[in-house]
Amino acid sequence: MNRLFFFISRQIGRLMIFTGILMGFASLQPVWAHPMPNSVVLLNIHADRIDAELQIPLVELQSAWGHAVNDSSAGLVERLGPQLRDYLKSHIRPQSPDGRFWTVSVGDLTIHESQNPIVGVYRELTAQVQMVPPAGEDVRQFTFHYDAVLHQVRTHKILVSVRQDWAGGQLAEAEPAQVGEISLDIVNDRLLPLAVNLASGSTWTGFWSMVKLGTQHIAEGTDHLLFLLVLLLPAPLLVAGRRWGPFGGVGRGSIRLLQIVSAFTLGHSLTLLLGALGWVRLPGQPVEILIAVSILVSALHAMRPLFPGRETWVAAGFGLIHGLAFAGTLSNLQLDAGPMALSILGFNLGIELMQLLVILLTMPWLMLLSRTPTYTYVRNGGALLAGVAAIAWIVERLTERPNAVTHLLEAERTHVGWLLAGLALLAGWASWKNSRSASVKKPIL
């Protein structure tokens, strides 16, 4: 036990030193955005209503409303909240094709302030607005009259986009889809409302968009896949004492592979369901740190067996943690009950499909390599790199600042195809070399 503890401590120490060296190679400077003095409207489309977020530059709102909202923005919501809500409500008039106006209510108001080296201090009001059409009217087709600033500041523009439309396949995870803009018709000197006519949506479109989101989440979630792949590295091998031994056979390796993947799937599916429904909640930062820790533990296990024969239980346990991270993606969408139920199913299906694809593309080559002496170097090298990545992620998530290693991992994510091709070539070469060596050693009768 003391020797095992010494081994683990030494390996973690080496990984931390190596990671620290890599982190010192690069640093990035912040990139400043240049806020424009236009208003923005982001629409979240539901079956029976539209939730909108208004983003209004205070300097423009001050000119239109006449109150010193930009010059005296401190405590603005507390001082003028009710008046500001009434003002906004009077300038928001969605209208159905039959001429009836919608019911509008203005909710939370928030002031945001940022420093910019180009424009100086930029202040913005964010208002949450709910718009409900008359009974029987379609939320996907209406005329949007909105002139909270434009009725006085004639050069102002209002950019309208759909941030989320589940039935239309538009999710908040993606870039908002621009609908159009509200501006002044200079020739006729009149305001032009925006005719919103969204494409028809369907349950199937919403479900399929969640399947695609699940596949994308895994494809871009390097940490989730890395945990599973590193845990699978020693799956084809037998245990010899306190070290990994020879190849244990295709049948045995395939069964262990199926057990580990199934356990991980069951674990993350359970917490994905509970988390998406709001029954289990953990802060995001501890969850992300634990995911990085799971990779580090798997990397050490791939170097030397820490829990031989119990990989399925470890995969299930850490799967519970990974599922909480998946659930955070769904809960952030703030869907209604029906779409949420289908989204949980579709999102989980997308995760499993992408996991299966990655495993099918990697495990045959690992199985082939595990029959050769080269696999020792592949296993230890892969575990070393995974350990470095895990430590870099732990540091990033503790400090909430990216580092050189995590930037490198993000950049290399687009080269996965080349890595798989290299793994296939290495497996072919090592297998050929191993068979050639065996034929040379075979005695001549």
Side-chain angles (χ1 to χ4, degrees), residues 94-161:
Q95 186 179 24
S96 292
D98 65 357
R100 290 185 293 170
F101 287 97
W102 294 22
T103 301
V104 176
S105 58
V106 181
D108 292 341
L109 303 175
T110 311
I111 304 299
H112 300 279
E113 182 175 304
S114 60
Q115 294 284 339
N116 189 284
I118 299 176
V119 299
V121 179
Y122 175 78
R123 301 181 182 92
E124 183 177 79
L125 168 71
T126 298
Q128 306 301 326
V129 176
Q130 186 175 94
M131 305 184 297
V132 181
E137 290 297 324
D138 188 3
V139 298
R140 310 186 70 81
Q141 186 175 359
F142 62 97
T143 301
F144 192 23
H145 301 269
Y146 169 51
D147 60 353
V149 173
L150 192 55
H151 74 292
Q152 291 293 335
V153 184
R154 315 294 276 180
T155 57
H156 194 71
K157 295 184 185 302
I158 302 166
L159 310 178
V160 182
S161 299

Side-chain angles (χ1 to χ4, degrees), residues 24 106 110 124 147 210 271 283 301 307 330 343 359 369 373 375 389 392 405 443:
V106 181
T110 311
E124 183 177 79
D147 60 353
M210 296 308 301
T271 46
H301 177 66
F307 36 84
L330 288 183
S343 295
I359 290 170
L369 274 168
Y375 193 58
V405 175

Side-chain angles (χ1 to χ4, degrees), residues 58 62 67-76 79-80 123:
L58 285 184
Q62 178 169 298
H67 294 270
V69 293
N70 186 60
D71 297 339
S72 303
S73 61
L76 172 62
R79 289 186 289 108
L80 298 174
R123 301 181 182 92

Side-chain angles (χ1 to χ4, degrees), residues 11 16 58 69 77 100 173 223 236 239 252 286 291 303 374 389 404 410 433 443:
Q11 295 302 324
M16 293 184 70
L58 285 184
V69 293
V77 176
R100 290 185 293 170
E173 291 281 315
D223 49 357
V239 178
R252 179 184 178 279
I291 289 173
M303 292 180 180
T374 307
E410 186 70 19
K433 183 179 179 181

Side-chain angles (χ1 to χ4, degrees), residues 85-97:
R85 288 186 179 89
D86 290 340
Y87 171 78
L88 292 175
K89 184 177 178 179
S90 66
H91 289 275
I92 303 171
R93 301 179 304 281
Q95 186 179 24
S96 292

Side-chain angles (χ1 to χ4, degrees), residues 7 10 17 23 57 161 176 189 254 257 265 271 285 287 295 310 383 408 431:
F7 165 78
R10 184 175 60 183
I17 292 172
M23 287 180 182
S161 299
D189 192 31
S254 300
L257 168 67
T265 298
T271 46
Q285 187 186 32
V287 171
I295 300 171
R310 296 189 292 273
L408 181 62
S431 181

Side-chain angles (χ1 to χ4, degrees), residues 35-303:
M36 299 296 293
N38 299 321
S39 291
V40 172
V41 179
L42 299 175
L43 306 176
N44 291 345
I45 313 298
H46 297 268
D48 58 351
R49 71 186 190 281
I50 294 179
D51 294 333
E53 179 178 289
L54 313 182
Q55 299 173 2
I56 309 172
L58 285 184
V59 65
E60 301 280 274
L61 181 61
Q62 178 169 298
S63 300
W65 193 25
H67 294 270
V69 293
N70 186 60
D71 297 339
S72 303
S73 61
L76 172 62
V77 176
E78 291 76 11
R79 289 186 289 108
L80 298 174
Q83 300 95 308
L84 186 51
R85 288 186 179 89
D86 290 340
Y87 171 78
L88 292 175
K89 184 177 178 179
S90 66
H91 289 275
I92 303 171
R93 301 179 304 281
Q95 186 179 24
S96 292
D98 65 357
R100 290 185 293 170
F101 287 97
W102 294 22
T103 301
V104 176
S105 58
V106 181
D108 292 341
L109 303 175
T110 311
I111 304 299
H112 300 279
E113 182 175 304
S114 60
Q115 294 284 339
N116 189 284
I118 299 176
V119 299
V121 179
Y122 175 78
R123 301 181 182 92
E124 183 177 79
L125 168 71
T126 298
Q128 306 301 326
V129 176
Q130 186 175 94
M131 305 184 297
V132 181
E137 290 297 324
D138 188 3
V139 298
R140 310 186 70 81
Q141 186 175 359
F142 62 97
T143 301
F144 192 23
H145 301 269
Y146 169 51
D147 60 353
V149 173
L150 192 55
H151 74 292
Q152 291 293 335
V153 184
R154 315 294 276 180
T155 57
H156 194 71
K157 295 184 185 302
I158 302 166
L159 310 178
V160 182
S161 299
V162 173
R163 177 164 57 189
Q164 183 162 293
D165 178 11
W166 186 85
Q170 171 71 25
L171 299 176
E173 291 281 315
E175 286 294 320
Q178 187 169 348
V179 176
E181 72 173 42
I182 302 173
S183 59
L184 175 70
D185 181 355
I186 300 177
V187 175
N188 299 308
D189 192 31
R190 65 185 181 90
L191 299 179
L192 296 176
L194 178 64
V196 178
N197 190 4
L198 304 176
S200 59
S202 68
T203 301
W204 169 251
T205 301
F207 176 79
W208 182 243
S209 69
M210 296 308 301
V211 173
K212 292 190 290 185
L213 180 62
T215 60
Q216 177 187 341
H217 196 76
I218 288 296
E220 297 179 353
T222 312
D223 49 357
H224 298 292
L225 276 180
L226 193 56
F227 163 72
L228 188 58
L229 290 175
V230 175
L231 196 59
L232 293 174
L233 273 177
L237 306 178
L238 298 172
V239 178
R242 295 182 177 179
R243 298 182 180 276
W244 291 111
F247 178 63
V250 174
R252 179 184 178 279
S254 300
I255 291 174
R256 289 187 67 192
L257 168 67
L258 181 62
Q259 290 173 337
I260 293 171
V261 173
S262 299
F264 182 67
T265 298
L266 289 174
H268 76 65
S269 296
L270 176 61
T271 46
L272 169 61
L273 174 62
L274 297 178
L277 294 176
W279 295 350
V280 176
R281 288 279 176 88
L282 282 179
Q285 187 186 32
V287 171
E288 295 298 329
I289 292 172
L290 285 174
I291 289 173
V293 170
S294 73
I295 300 171
L296 181 58
V297 172
S298 299
L300 293 173
H301 177 66
M303 292 180 180

